[in-house]
Amino acid sequence: MNSHIKTELPGPKARAIIARDSEVISPSYCRDYSFVMSHGRGTEIWDVDGNRFLDFSAGIGVCATGHAHPDVVASVREASGEFLHISSDYWHERMVGLGERIARLAPMGEPVLSFFCQSGTEAVEGALKLARYVTGRPRFIGFLGGFHGRTMGSLAFTSSKSTQQKGFAPAMPGVTHVPYPNAYRPLFAGDDQGKAVLDYIRLLFERNVPASEVAAILIEPIQGEGGYLIAPDGFLAGLRALCDENGILLIFDEVQSGVGRTGKMFACEHWGVAPDIMTLAKGLGSGLPIGAVVAKKRLMEKWQRGGHGNTFGGNPISCAAANATLDLVSSRYMGNAASVGAHFLSRLHCLASEFDCIGQVRGRGLMIGMELIEPGQERTPAPGLCDMLITRAWRNGLVLLSCGVGTVRFTPPLCVSNAEVDEAVALLRVSLGQCLAESSA
């Protein structure tokens, strides 16, 4: 047993809290194993029974600067000592300052405006409303495997698992899904899956989705819940050209991939392609709830007074956290994500050479996926092995999440060190060996 794991898992205090939870909390939450958190520092977290873990999920990529970063905590304390809330009907400096920071960082290459909200789902909803508002068009195109949220508009695009839409039909009408290009699991003939998907969209325009009625195409530059799939070179540029040809807006969902996660401030910068609208959340507040719709100024300035709004968007506490986060990411952690991410990918590729159940390792920066396959069966997904590994790794002191069909995702805080990566890989190696031994027993 890992020396940091001091009790059975879950321990007695954790079991007591979980029992209380079952009496008062909705069962709809996706909970893979019984971790009950006590506190965290950087990449380390502790449960209520005193067991220490490495957190390589970071709240689904939320804790960009690590747990309880002192700069973020200090900013939140300072802001909370002044006032906890003022609605967006008024102004405050931290909200304006955050808008200025984002305007300097945004990849659009022209002036932008930001609308603040509390989550990625709300950011996507705002982006969809803006696209319809400024184009007057009713239709959208999304991608199979995408995850954009769970409210009824964003849910219409979410398609990484059928359970996400099951029981909620009809969602917002007018959304057509197309495949996300995946060279490892191609759906079209030919080596260039990006070109094949672009050709398929053009075919849709000719047959049953009039391009003149499409307001926007919504895509994750690196698909998150769908399996950490990376857009092939040339594909996003091809989408950009296709949108420009047809007066369609291009929306990049950077909720999971943005704010330094991939070694650049925004994932789209790896390909030098600019969106018209971009959505942000997750890592933006280092754990505080905040999201943003960032759009070219010439688009968002068309939103008239009262066209969109909320109560808690741009609240002073979350803005304070976001300002501190962007300071840390810009000055330190974005570069760390690039360098440590390269080390992590190298270590995982070495691990793949040891285990034939690792089909592919892929990623940018600290947004990395490791797809598992059935041993001895070429490219046959192994979701059962993936689930077993996630649970076994937790029992050994490593907190992980899955995505796609049998893919382990790695999204540690951007402050993670090479030494912590090495420790995580060692725990992963032991855990995978135990799973395979158990499966063959």
Side-chain angles (χ1 to χ4, degrees), residues 199-229:
D199 289 343
Y200 180 71
I201 296 173
R202 291 189 181 94
L203 183 63
L204 284 177
F205 288 167
E206 294 173 6
R207 302 292 175 85
N208 75 330
V209 182
S212 61
E213 294 185 0
V214 177
I217 294 177
L218 171 63
I219 188 171
E220 301 160 274
I222 298 179
Q223 196 174 74
E225 295 285 334
Y228 277 32
L229 304 178

Side-chain angles (χ1 to χ4, degrees), residues 346-401:
S346 175
R347 293 301 309 276
L348 289 174
H349 282 298
C350 289
L351 194 68
S353 69
E354 301 174 30
F355 293 92
D356 62 1
C357 62
I358 300 176
Q360 188 182 53
V361 174
R362 52 185 177 255
R364 293 283 189 280
L366 290 171
M367 187 173 183
I368 300 172
M370 183 179 77
E371 185 163 344
L372 299 180
I373 58 175
E374 295 293 345
Q377 300 181 38
E378 185 178 3
R379 300 195 184 188
T380 300
L385 177 60
C386 182
D387 291 343
M388 186 185 300
L389 177 60
I390 296 295
T391 301
R392 179 64 67 176
W394 164 65
R395 293 192 177 279
N396 287 328
L398 178 62
V399 172
L400 299 170
L401 293 170

Side-chain angles (χ1 to χ4, degrees), residues 318-349:
S318 292
C319 284
N323 279 313
T325 297
L326 289 177
D327 272 347
L328 290 163
V329 171
S330 298
S331 65
R332 193 183 317 170
Y333 292 142
M334 184 169 64
N336 191 67
S339 60
V340 177
H343 173 73
F344 197 1
L345 278 168
S346 175
R347 293 301 309 276
L348 289 174
H349 282 298

